[in-house]
Amino acid sequence: QLVESGGGSAQAGGSLTLSCKNFRPVFNRFCMGWFRQAPGKEREAVAALDSNGKATYMDSVKGRFAVAKDSAGTNLTLQMTDLKPEDTAMYTCAASSWTRSNCLAESSYNGWGHGTQVTVS
């Protein structure tokens, strides 16, 4: 349903762009976002778009990451710049099939990808 790509390794200060292909139209109208989980840590919301296309970000990535999607809602991207070692994590795409007020809340999502690894050294 949601398939991520674009992960890999980068040097600190470098850039990576993640993509998430959405194969279910029901997921293209409401919250779509990116979460990440580092080893030994809980999953956290990185960035999300609400149904109006408004983006929200976790504090530590503001100004460095940009989330976007195409007009059809079939491709969600996360452009990551000025990467830091603490950005190392498994990044997972998520989408919701109903209206939710908080698109940074994990509970708002009912569709998840399998994740793509990002390693920054």
Side-chain angles (χ1 to χ4, degrees), residues 2-4 90-93 112-116:
L2 299 170
V3 180
E4 303 95 338
M90 179 70 74
Y91 284 71
T92 304
C93 172
W112 296 87
H114 291 292
T116 184

Side-chain angles (χ1 to χ4, degrees), residues 10-69:
Q11 297 283 337
S15 301
L16 285 172
T17 297
L18 306 182
S19 293
C20 173
K21 292 292 187 183
N22 170 27
F23 293 97
R24 292 193 63 188
V26 70
F27 284 145
N28 67 10
R29 295 175 57 199
F30 306 107
C31 295
M32 294 187 77
W34 290 94
F35 289 74
R36 70 185 184 187
Q37 186 169 22
K41 295 186 177 181
E42 293 186 355
R43 185 158 58 186
E44 57 185 1
V46 177
L49 290 171
D50 68 13
S51 58
N52 294 315
K54 180 181 177 182
T56 52
Y57 300 92
M58 66 183 302
D59 287 344
S60 65
V61 307
K62 286 180 180 178
R64 300 190 297 121
F65 289 12
V67 61
K69 69 177 181 179

Side-chain angles (χ1 to χ4, degrees), residues 67-116:
V67 61
K69 69 177 181 179
D70 62 355
S71 58
T74 58
N75 189 38
L76 181 74
T77 60
L78 183 68
Q79 185 175 16
M80 305 183 293
T81 62
D82 190 23
L83 284 163
K84 305 176 185 300
E86 51 265 40
D87 295 319
T88 294
M90 179 70 74
Y91 284 71
T92 304
C93 172
S96 175
S97 60
W98 62 80
T99 300
R100 281 293 183 263
S101 59
N102 183 1
C103 291
L104 287 180
E106 191 171 331
S107 60
S108 293
Y109 294 90
N110 61 327
W112 296 87
H114 291 292
T116 184

